[in-house]
Amino acid sequence: MAKLYSRLLGHYDGRPYFISVSVSPNINTVEDFSVAVHYNDPNTEREVQIARIDTAHETVHFDRLYRRNQPKDTNVDFSVWDAEQHLEENWRQYASTYAENHAD
């Protein structure tokens, strides 16, 4: 799957949060996709995803990584562009919940 782009959403709790959109086979014929909200952890130099809507398991589903038990919601109907809009509109709430549930 090819990453189309990543862009900055904004800052929360001192961290910059990004949204990344990936599709396959291409932007004109989207058969599979992944849209994720994430930040880059400076301590581990890894991308930490907090929410993701994708087709990784042959159906569209919402990985709620911001919640402690990380439930997967398979009762969703998003296109790649709907997923991007939904995550963009709600990323601050997800970042806040992630911070609360994953505090060290």
Side-chain angles (χ1 to χ4, degrees), residues 49-66:
Q49 293 187 0
I50 64 166
R52 180 179 58 242
I53 300 172
D54 65 17
T55 57
H57 303 288
E58 300 181 13
T59 184
V60 178
H61 61 278
F62 186 176
D63 292 295
R64 298 175 187 275
L65 307 169
Y66 54 90

Side-chain angles (χ1 to χ4, degrees), residues 13-50:
D13 200 24
R15 289 188 177 128
Y17 282 82
F18 301 87
I19 191 165
S20 294
V21 178
S22 301
V23 299
S24 177
N26 61 56
I27 192 169
N28 296 317
T29 309
V30 176
E31 294 176 7
D32 294 303
F33 68 85
S34 176
V35 182
V37 174
H38 60 92
Y39 68 89
N40 298 316
D41 186 335
N43 297 324
T44 63
E45 297 182 5
R46 297 185 71 188
E47 177 182 292
V48 177
Q49 293 187 0
I50 64 166

